[in-house]
C-alpha cells in the first residue's frame, strides 16, 4: 500500500472513531446477520481496518508503558546511589525539627520524583490515545488530571512512609501491622470509591426505561440488587461499564454511550456481565488482591534492598529511594499475575452473563462492537497480554459465546 493510501486509511479511522454515537461502525455492527454472529470467529467479524489499527496501537503503546516504569526505576536508583537522597534528608532535617515532617516530606518528594520521571512517557501514551480517538480529553484537562494524580501520589507516599517508619521505631512486628494496614486501606478505598471518586467525573442518572425493567428482571433471576447508574459524559464516545464500591456502596456504572450505540439485547448482556462480577464477589477479591500484591512487592523490594551494600550516609529514610526503585522492578513481576487474575474474573463474568441474559448473538455483537470502537486487538499474545490485557481477549470471548474456534495460535 502506498503512503498516500495509508494516510487516507488512517484519516478515515480517526474520523470514524471521533464521530458521535451511533456512528458508521455501529451501523456496520448492527448489520451483521445473526447467522454470522453465531458461526464466525471474532477475526472474521471485526472491522479489518480497525483490527489493523489495534495491532499497531498495541505495538506502539507497550514501549511507552515500559519506558514509563523504567525511567522511574532508574531515576530513583540514581537518586539513592548518587547521595542526593541523603542530602535531601539532611536538608529536611535542618529545616524541620519534627522527624514526622521530615519523613512525610521525604516520602512526598519520592512520589514527585517518580511522577516527573514518567511524565514524558505518559504524555506520549496520552497523545497516542488521543490520535487514535481513544481519548476525547483535551491536553489542558490531561495536564490538570496529571497534576491532581501527582498530588495524591505525593500525599499517599508521604503517609505510607511516615506510618511504616513509625511502626519500625515502635515494634519488631512492624511488618505484620504494615500488611494489615495496606490490606485494610485497599478495602476501605474500594468501599469509598463511589462516594469520593465518582462525583468528580460528572453527572449520573438512573437507568431509564425500558432498560431498567430489563435490569430488574436480570437482578431477580440472579437474586441480586445493585443500583445501576448511567454516567452522562459528553466528552467521550466510548462505551464502558464497571462495578464500583463494596457492599452498601456498590454500584454498576454504564456510560451513556452504551445506551446510545447498543441494542436493547446488548444492554441486557452488559448488565448481566456486571452482575456476574457482583455474584462472584470480584470487587472485594480485586481490592483484597490489590493489597496483597502491594505487600508482596514491598516485601520483595525490602528483601533485595537488604542485600545491597549500604552507603556511609545511609539510614532508613535515605534508603527509601532504593526501596522505591526496587519496588518498581517488583511491580513488573507482579503485574502479569494481577492481569492474569483479572482476565480470569472477566472470563467468569462472561460465562455468567451468557447464562443469565441467554442471548448469545447479542453477546457476540456487543463484544465485536466494543472491540471495533475501543481498538481492542484480537488474539493478543506475548508481552502485550502479560502486561496490558486485563479483560478476556475478544477472540476468546466470542468463542465462549458461539462455540466457534478462535483460530488464535
Amino acid at each position: 500500500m502506498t503512503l498516500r493510501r495509508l494516510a487516507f486509511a488512517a484519516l478515515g479511522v480517526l474520523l470514524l472513531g471521533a464521530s458521535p454515537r451511533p456512528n458508521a461502525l455501529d451501523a456496520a455492527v448492527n448489520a451483521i446477520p445473526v447467522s454470522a454472529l453465531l458461526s464466525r470467529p471474532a477475526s472474521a467479524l471485526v472491522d479489518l481496518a480497525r483490527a489493523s489499527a489495534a495491532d499497531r496501537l498495541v505495538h506502539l503503546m507497550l514501549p511507552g508503558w515500559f519506558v514509563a516504569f523504567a525511567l522511574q526505576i532508574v531515576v530513583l536508583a540514581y537518586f539513592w546511589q548518587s547521595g542526593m537522597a541523603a542530602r535531601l534528608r539532611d536538608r529536611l532535617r535542618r529545616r524541620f525539627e519534627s522527624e514526622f515532617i521530615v519523613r512525610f516530606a521525604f516520602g512526598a518528594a519520592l512520589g514527585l520524583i517518580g511522577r516527573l520521571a514518567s511524565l514524558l512517557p505518559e504524555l506520549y501514551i496520552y497523545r497516542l490515545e488521543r490520535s487514535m480517538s481513544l481519548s476525547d480529553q483535551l491536553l489542558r484537562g490531561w495536564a490538570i488530571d496529571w497534576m491532581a494524580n501527582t498530588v495524591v501520589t505525593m500525599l499517599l507516599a508521604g503517609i505510607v512512609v511516615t506510618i511504616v517508619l513509625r511502626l519500625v521505631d515502635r515494634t519488631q512486628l512492624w511488618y505484620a501491622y504494615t500488611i494489615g494496614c495496606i490490606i485494610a486501606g485497599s478495602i476501605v478505598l474500594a468501599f469509598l470509591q463511589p462516594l469520593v471518586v465518582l462525583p468528580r467525573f460528572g453527572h449520573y442518572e438512573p437507568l431509564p426505561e425500558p432498560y431498567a425493567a430489563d435490569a430488574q428482571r436480570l437482578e431477580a433471576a440472579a437474586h441480586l440488587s445493585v443500583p445501576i447508574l448511567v454516567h452522562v459524559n459528553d466528552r467521550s464516545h466510548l462505551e464502558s461499564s464497571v462495578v464500583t464500591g463494596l457492599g452498601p456502596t456498590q454500584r454498576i456504572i454504564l456510560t451513556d454511550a452504551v445506551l446510545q450505540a447498543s441494542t436493547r439485547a446488548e444492554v441486557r448482556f452488559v448488565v448481566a456481565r456486571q452482575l456476574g462480577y457482583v455474584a462472584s464477589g470480584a470487587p472485594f477479591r480485586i481490592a483484597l488482591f490489590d493489597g496483597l500484591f502491594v505487600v508482596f512487592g514491598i516485601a520483595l523490594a525490602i528483601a533485595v534492598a537488604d542485600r545491597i551494600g549500604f552507603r556511609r550516609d545511609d539510614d532508613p529514610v535515605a534508603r527509601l529511594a532504593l526501596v522505591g526503585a526496587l519496588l518498581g522492578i517488583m511491580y513488573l513481576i507482579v503485574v502479569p499475575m494481577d492481569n492474569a487474575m483479572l482476565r480470569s474474573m472477566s472470563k467468569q463474568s462472561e460465562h455468567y452473563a451468557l447464562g443469565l441474559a441467554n442471548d448469545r448473538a447479542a453477546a457476540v455483537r456487543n463484544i465485536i462492537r466494543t472491540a471495533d470502537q475501543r481498538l481492542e486487538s484480537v488474539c493478543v499474545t506475548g508481552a502485550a497480554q502479560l502486561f496490558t490485557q486485563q479483560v478476556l481477549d475478544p477472540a476468546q470471548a466470542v468463542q465462549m459465546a458461539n462455540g466457534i474456534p478462535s483460530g488464535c495460535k
Side-chain angles (χ1 to χ4, degrees):
M1 181 180 286
T2 64
L3 290 176
R4 180 177 295 182
R5 290 177 64 189
L6 279 172
F8 276 113
L11 180 61
V13 168
L14 295 181
L15 291 177
L16 185 59
S19 59
R21 305 293 297 275
N23 55 26
L25 271 177
D26 290 314
V29 174
N30 291 339
I32 300 175
V34 172
S35 59
L37 293 172
L38 297 178
S39 62
R40 297 180 185 176
S43 57
L45 295 171
V46 294
D47 182 85
L48 295 181
R50 301 288 286 187
S52 178
D55 291 337
R56 292 196 300 274
L57 178 63
V58 168
H59 290 98
L60 292 171
M61 187 80 73
L62 197 59
W65 188 88
F66 274 113
V67 170
F69 279 98
L71 284 177
Q72 293 182 71
I73 293 168
V74 170
V75 169
L76 286 173
Y78 176 78
F79 187 64
W80 168 77
Q81 191 276 335
S82 65
M84 295 175 64
R87 290 195 292 272
L88 174 61
R89 174 207 60 202
D90 295 340
R91 188 176 304 168
L92 290 172
R93 283 176 174 164
R94 287 194 297 269
R95 182 164 185 176
F96 302 106
E97 295 182 0
S98 171
E99 187 66 13
F100 173 87
I101 297 177
V102 170
R103 291 171 174 179
F104 177 85
F106 190 88
L110 292 182
L112 176 61
I113 291 169
R115 290 288 293 165
L116 289 174
S118 65
L119 173 58
L120 290 181
E122 289 185 16
L123 179 60
Y124 162 79
I125 292 174
Y126 159 74
R127 293 300 302 172
L128 185 59
E129 292 180 338
R130 176 75 173 168
S131 68
M132 301 295 276
S133 293
L134 295 179
S135 173
D136 298 298
Q137 189 176 37
L138 298 176
L139 180 60
R140 179 180 65 254
W142 178 87
I144 293 173
D145 283 349
W146 187 90
M147 288 187 287
N149 289 332
T150 298
V151 171
V152 171
T153 300
M154 293 173 64
L155 290 174
L156 288 176
I159 291 171
V160 169
V161 165
T162 303
I163 292 176
V164 171
L165 292 182
R166 181 62 174 170
L167 289 173
V168 171
D169 291 339
R170 295 180 65 89
T171 176
Q172 293 182 339
L173 296 176
W174 64 270
Y175 53 88
Y177 291 109
T178 300
I179 291 172
C181 288
I182 291 175
I183 294 176
S186 179
I187 294 173
V188 169
L189 287 176
F191 179 86
L192 294 177
Q193 186 175 16
L195 307 178
V196 178
V197 178
L198 290 185
R200 68 180 290 266
F201 286 103
H203 178 59
Y204 297 84
E205 296 178 351
L207 189 66
E209 296 293 351
Y211 308 108
D214 291 342
Q216 289 175 0
R217 285 190 286 271
L218 290 172
E219 288 180 294
H223 305 290
L224 295 170
S225 180
V226 185
I228 303 175
L229 301 176
V230 178
H231 180 206
V232 181
N233 184 6
D234 296 332
R235 295 191 308 170
S236 177
H237 66 279
L238 298 176
E239 70 272 19
S240 180
S241 58
V242 68
V243 178
T244 182
L246 297 174
T249 69
Q250 199 160 69
R251 306 284 186 271
I252 293 176
I253 307 296
L254 311 180
T255 58
D256 53 359
V258 173
L259 306 186
Q260 294 167 3
S262 306
T263 64
R264 183 175 172 183
E266 286 178 75
V267 176
R268 286 197 296 269
F269 176 75
V270 171
V271 172
R273 180 193 287 138
Q274 299 308 317
L275 288 174
Y277 277 102
V278 176
S280 66
F284 178 80
R285 286 192 290 157
I286 291 173
L288 176 62
F289 280 108
D290 282 348
L292 290 174
F293 283 139
V294 170
V295 170
F296 177 67
I298 291 175
L300 285 178
I302 292 175
V304 174
D306 285 342
R307 286 160 176 77
I308 296 176
F310 280 72
R311 293 173 51 88
R312 285 187 297 177
D313 53 6
D314 260 353
D315 75 340
V317 175
R319 203 164 175 80
L320 285 170
L322 174 61
V323 173
L326 294 171
L327 186 58
I329 297 175
M330 297 306 116
Y331 183 80
L332 293 178
I333 297 174
V334 168
V335 163
M337 295 187 290
D338 189 29
N339 287 344
M341 179 196 71
L342 293 175
R343 287 195 301 271
S344 176
M345 291 181 182
S346 175
K347 185 176 182 178
Q348 292 175 10
S349 71
E350 291 283 338
H351 185 268
Y352 184 93
L354 289 171
L356 185 62
N358 195 27
D359 192 336
R360 294 179 179 270
V364 175
R365 197 183 302 277
N366 177 258
I367 295 164
I368 297 303
R369 189 189 306 276
T370 302
D372 281 346
Q373 296 286 350
R374 303 188 71 88
L375 286 180
E376 293 181 358
S377 186
V378 176
C379 297
V380 178
T381 58
Q385 182 186 60
L386 289 175
F387 292 100
T388 65
Q389 192 78 14
Q390 296 184 337
V391 296
L392 193 64
D393 186 290
Q396 296 176 335
V398 169
Q399 181 176 343
M400 284 182 59
N402 64 15
I404 304 302
S406 65
C408 298
K409 297 180 180 180

